Amino acid sequence: MAMSHKLDFSRSRKRMVDEQIASRGIENVRLLDALNNIPRHLFVEEALQDQAYNDYPLPIGEKQTISQPYMVALMTEALELRGGERVLEIGTGSGYQAAILAELAEWVYSIERIRSLANRARKILCELNYYNIEIRVSDGTRGWKEKAPFQAITVTAGAPEVPQPLVDQLAVGGRLVVPIGDVFSQTLIRVIRTEEGIEREDLGGCHFVRLIGKYGWQGE
Ligand code: SAH
């Protein structure tokens, strides 16, 4: 890649962080640093790389998308990561959010139901030298029992209701962020597990592809 092109991408990245993310109220410095450092354009196909830092999701094949940068930031901030956590991500997709989580936590376990996407994500994350991410192909609505409990769980696809196995696999004090709603629009929900039970908070409207699985939507 030509040097000038590389510089263009880092400039676009800085503009993305300033204009789409910091300006909308995301304040976590470690998160802003991660967004500034991770080459988001490498997580999309070459023909779309010039759009990688724009304010919208992009297709990644298999009718799936890499989420809008601001949505990735909002969900990640809500997880309140400090560095020592085991994080579970449902919906690896391009692998971009997994990279962000890997910068902010100790271990990232990510589940993707479509094998070709999981393979592509593994390849790019390996090329970028991420050694603290494990990706598995399965139905993420069932969680990842062997690795539980998790201090943070993020679901990057929209569900009809909060998948119970994910709540069960949350550590006490842990945060789960999941878009809940119908197929057209959802509300981002944060569930916090406490000693007494669970607390539920509404973080605002959003739009995601469907979470397909036993505790999600029934689908192909
Ligand atoms: N976090 C991703 C966004 C991916 S879009 C990124 O940064 O690029 C949501 C992904 O969830 C899609 O790849 C879709 O295949 C996957 N998905 C949907 N239902 C799933 C399930 N039950 N288990 C695991 N992955 C699922």
Side-chain angles (χ1 to χ4, degrees), residues 18-157:
D18 292 346
E19 295 175 7
Q20 301 168 36
I21 294 170
S23 67
R24 290 182 181 138
I26 303 289
E27 291 177 339
N28 184 312
V29 176
R30 293 172 67 234
L31 171 58
L32 295 176
D33 281 350
L35 289 160
N36 242 319
N37 291 329
I38 295 169
R40 179 171 160 97
H41 61 280
L42 299 182
F43 292 84
V44 300
E45 64 180 276
E46 218 164 331
L48 296 175
Q49 289 193 345
D50 286 341
Q51 295 180 63
Y53 298 99
N54 293 355
D55 197 12
Y56 45 78
L58 287 172
I60 54 172
E62 308 281 356
K63 294 192 232 144
Q64 307 302 325
T65 56
I66 177 173
S67 308
Q68 176 199 22
Y70 173 67
M71 193 48 65
V72 174
L74 183 67
M75 295 180 88
T76 305
E77 184 166 67
L79 296 176
E80 295 179 358
L81 301 174
R82 293 175 165 205
E85 299 85 356
R86 303 150 64 77
V87 183
L88 176 65
E89 177 190 40
I90 312 303
T92 314
S94 68
Y96 176 67
Q97 186 162 11
I100 308 247
L101 297 169
E103 295 279 347
L104 302 177
E106 182 147 340
W107 262 103
V108 179
Y109 298 95
S110 186
I111 308 180
E112 170 56 56
R113 63 182 283 272
I114 301 176
R115 184 170 300 275
S116 60
L117 295 179
N119 285 340
R120 201 170 344 124
R122 279 191 188 117
K123 182 162 181 286
I124 179 67
L125 291 168
C126 179
E127 283 168 14
L128 293 173
N129 298 323
Y130 285 99
Y131 300 114
N132 59 340
I133 303 174
E134 192 174 334
I135 296 175
R136 155 179 170 178
V137 178
S138 68
D139 171 11
T141 68
R142 297 169 184 266
W144 193 332
K145 239 187 188 154
E146 299 76 12
K147 308 291 183 186
F150 302 97
Q151 284 77 42
I153 302 179
T154 178
V155 183
T156 68

